[in-house]
Each structure stands twice: as structure tokens, then as C-alpha cells.
Amino acid sequence: EVTLEIGDVQLAKYVDYLPFKLPIKVASGAVDGTLTLAFSQSGDKPAKLAVSGRVAVSGLDVKDTAGAPLVSLKQLDVAVASVDPLAGRFDIERVAVATPQVHARVSRDGGVNWIDFFEKQFAQAKATKPGKAEPPVATKPPTWSVGRIKVTDGALRWLDESHGKPFAASVESIDLDLRKLDSRGKAP
């Protein structure tokens, strides 16, 4: 068993060290938390990797590659009940998001920034797969549960530049409280 203590890790400083280029700019954000990892394997049973603990991201500000805002938030807290990535099981106790802001923009040519972003990512992923496509291997789908998701004081910012004069609108004070979500259709 190993316990990882993460304290005030500034994301913007470490993004350049990733082995791949992100299609976004992380302008700011800090990670804190404590995660416990326990690996076990007995006999001929499959290996298990149990991860539990808490991770928080504060002051996150993400922009597109041109510097336009995409998403920001004051605080994201995730309490991990038990995750076993080797078995495809993800049980999250709680996700709390404080003051998230999502920025959507329609450009002069009619493209929506979020749709363009994901289309570009999927196209790049397809283009980087070398050779002939392998038939998919039948695997058991991952299972997940979340005890509670709480969003407080969220906002959606909309900017439409496609009709000459830019039009800006927003939806403010978005609060959301979801409980007992489960991929199996049962209460966790």
C-alpha cells in the first residue's frame, strides 16, 4: 500500500512535461489531495489495484490554443470511494464543483468552439492510428457509480459572432445536485 500526498501542484508549470501536446492551454490551477493505492494478487485470481482518497483542483483556468476562455472553476473536489482500473470499476463518493464557468462561442464562419474542438480531437485520433484497423476485442464495459455530484454557482457564457455584430448572453447561478448515479441502473 502506498499513500500519495499531493500539495499545491501548479498545473501550468507541468503541462509542458507531458509526453504529448494538449490541444488547450492550462493558464492556472493547483492540485491537492491524498490518494491511497493498494495492489494485490493472490493465486490465479486477477490482479487488483485499489485507489481511494481525495483530489482537489483549485483556481483552474483553461483556454483554447488561441487564448480564448474554455472553462474555469474555483474548486473541484473528488472523493474517491474505490477505483480499480484493472477491473474497470470506478466508485466515486462525491464530486463537488464550485463556480464553474463554461465559455461557448460561435465564430464568424458559424463554427462552435466546443464542437470544433472535439471534432478536431477525434480526427487527429483517427489519423494517428497506423495500419489496418483491428476488430474490436469484446471486453466487459466498465462499471461506475457516483454517490453525489454537486455544482454550485455555475455559469454558461455564450458569444455568437456569426451574424455581424457579436451577441453575448449568459446563464448564471446554475446549481445542480445529483445523487446515486450508477452505470448498472441501481443505487450505489
Side-chain angles (χ1 to χ4, degrees):
E1 185 172 292
V2 174
T3 299
L4 298 172
E5 296 279 338
I6 304 164
D8 196 32
V9 175
Q10 298 296 315
L11 294 173
K13 292 180 182 180
Y14 294 98
V15 168
D16 292 337
Y17 293 103
L18 291 173
F20 50 87
K21 183 162 174 43
L22 288 177
I24 56 172
K25 292 179 184 177
V26 179
S28 65
V31 177
D32 291 281
T34 302
L35 291 174
T36 301
L37 293 84
F39 179 81
S40 65
Q41 186 172 19
S42 63
D44 55 351
K45 292 183 179 179
K48 293 182 179 183
L49 176 61
V51 180
S52 61
R54 180 191 154 276
V55 176
V57 177
S58 59
L60 183 66
D61 185 14
V62 177
K63 300 179 183 305
D64 67 16
T65 54
L70 284 174
V71 66
S72 64
L73 55 86
K74 182 177 180 182
Q75 186 79 19
L76 167 67
D77 283 303
V78 179
V80 179
S82 179
V83 167
D84 184 351
L86 302 178
R89 187 177 50 78
F90 304 87
D91 297 319
I92 306 300
E93 181 182 326
R94 182 188 78 257
V95 177
V97 185
T99 321
Q101 293 188 23
V102 176
H103 298 265
R105 188 183 79 253
V106 181
S107 66
R108 287 189 173 104
D109 63 0
V112 179
N113 63 339
W114 284 93
I115 294 171
D116 293 345
F117 171 79
F118 285 109
E119 283 178 347
K120 188 184 299 182
Q121 296 314 302
F122 290 133
Q124 287 176 353
K126 278 185 175 181
T128 58
K129 289 185 180 177
K132 201 168 139 182
E134 297 286 325
V137 177
T139 59
K140 182 178 160 186
T143 60
W144 57 268
S145 67
V146 181
R148 184 176 190 186
I149 298 175
K150 185 169 177 108
V151 176
T152 55
D153 199 26
L156 172 61
R157 312 258 185 242
W158 181 262
L159 176 62
D160 188 339
E161 300 173 325
S162 66
H163 299 289
K165 185 177 179 183
F167 170 76
S170 65
V171 178
E172 307 284 334
S173 301
I174 299 172
D175 292 332
L176 180 66
D177 194 355
L178 303 172
R179 297 172 190 246
K180 298 182 180 178
L181 303 171
D182 191 309
S183 65
R184 298 170 293 247
K186 304 177 202 173

